[in-house]
Amino acid sequence: MTAPGHAGDQRLAALTEQVVASFAGASSPRYRTVMQSLVRHLHAFLAETSITEREWEQGIEFLTRAGHITDDKRQEFILLSDVLGASMATIAINHPGTDLGVTESTVLGPFFADASPRAGLGDDISGGAVGQPCYASGTVRDVAGRPVPGARIEIWEADADGFYDVQRAGGPVANRAHLFTDDQGGYRFWSVRPAPYPIPHDGPVGDLLTAAARGPMRPAHIHFMVSADGYQRLTTHVFADGDPYLGQDAVFGVKPSLIRTFARHPAGVGPGGRVLDTEWSDVEFDLVLSPNRPA
Ligand code: BEZ
Ligand code: FE
């Protein structure tokens, strides 16, 4: 195929304007803006790459495969958004960062589940998941350093084999819970030391990574989602210092401010008087919430 010549360029420009104009009557101005921009960028992308008909078909086949593999347990479109950096770009646009010390946001990922069990402060939320015991604690504060009591923290994490509970069909809830901060904004729980793991890569997104000579690994992390009245919801992770994949996260989610030391301790008595007959770890991760945007 050859690049369109002058007449072809004009035809394409006229087509683009015709499609853009077809959204002019949309009742929602925001929908109109988004769709008209999408059409302009999509047409520009097709022109810039001189896309062939076979390549366009392959793109549609890819999206069809992504649709077929997606169900209530497997979300290939979130994975696609993640590996293309679109999830992190959306976060960058909506949480541009402040110099007020607000904890940075990162990807939600596909393994969050509503309706997690409630845990008490200091409970073990591992649900029997494989892995070395790990104690996590910290505080939730506002930008003035005041504690946020009663903040709801959702926690979810893969086990030492790299699987989330929802990836184990029929398995128990494990490494997943929500809890509420105490009067000093404090939280604490036991789970397992996080390990690096691959994002699901047995589908079209895995093929995309392979074709790009990219790996599927994510560095070890624990997910947190924190909500409290008067504050923006925070979706973030704590990452483990020293992880070999910190510089090559498949979904571009690492921010240096979110990396902490997961200190290792010999068997003995741990926080809360827990007796441990194996090595265990602990990590401290304080969270700072941003106030709600004015309405
Ligand atoms: C996760 O951290 O759970 C995750 C994020 C993006 C893609 C796959 C998994
Ligand atoms: Fe994860």
Side-chain angles (χ1 to χ4, degrees), residues 182-202:
D182 64 19
D183 288 348
Q184 286 78 48
Y187 76 85
R188 51 210 161 264
F189 62 90
W190 285 93
S191 61
V192 300
R193 185 182 173 95
Y197 66 86
I199 65 168
H201 57 110
D202 55 346

Side-chain angles (χ1 to χ4, degrees), residues 54 120 255:
R54 179 64 200 129
K255 291 180 171 166

Side-chain angles (χ1 to χ4, degrees), residues 40 46-47 58 145 200 212-213 216 271:
R40 284 191 201 287
L46 297 171
Q58 285 173 325

Side-chain angles (χ1 to χ4, degrees), residues 66-77:
H68 285 160
I69 205 171
T70 294
D71 59 20
D72 60 343
K73 298 255 176 322
R74 171 74 179 254
Q75 231 304 354
E76 199 73 0
F77 291 99

Side-chain angles (χ1 to χ4, degrees), residues 134-272:
C134 180
Y135 183 76
S137 63
T139 56
V140 178
R141 295 184 180 274
D142 67 12
V143 291
R146 290 177 297 235
V148 180
R152 177 180 173 127
I153 309 184
E154 294 278 351
I155 303 141
W156 67 108
E157 186 198 0
D159 62 24
D161 293 336
F163 292 104
Y164 285 83
D165 55 357
V166 292
Q167 294 177 282
R168 297 187 184 277
V173 176
N175 283 339
R176 181 184 302 281
H178 68 273
L179 45 75
F180 293 91
T181 53
D182 64 19
D183 288 348
Q184 286 78 48
Y187 76 85
R188 51 210 161 264
F189 62 90
W190 285 93
S191 61
V192 300
R193 185 182 173 95
Y197 66 86
I199 65 168
H201 57 110
D202 55 346
V205 168
D207 294 347
L208 179 155
L209 293 174
T210 304
R214 280 174 53 182
M217 296 302 288
R218 295 216 65 206
H221 58 272
I222 304 175
H223 292 256
F224 288 75
M225 185 193 284
V226 188
S227 3
D229 284 347
Y231 299 92
Q232 292 177 36
R233 189 169 69 189
L234 170 68
T235 301
T236 193
H237 308 349
V238 59
F239 290 96
D241 195 14
D243 187 286
Y245 296 101
L246 283 171
Q248 40 185 308
D249 183 1
V251 302
F252 310 99
V254 177
K255 291 180 171 166
S257 69
L258 302 177
I259 302 171
R260 296 287 182 282
T261 300
F262 282 67
R264 294 179 190 274
H265 305 281
V269 180

Side-chain angles (χ1 to χ4, degrees), residues 12-47:
L12 178 56
L15 172 68
T16 303
E17 287 317 310
Q18 197 185 356
V19 182
V20 166
S22 75
F23 287 95
S27 55
S28 154
R30 178 66 183 158
Y31 175 71
R32 182 172 64 232
T33 302
V34 170
M35 291 309 294
Q36 290 183 330
S37 176
L38 175 66
V39 168
R40 284 191 201 287
H41 284 272
L42 178 60
H43 286 211
F45 156 72
L46 297 171

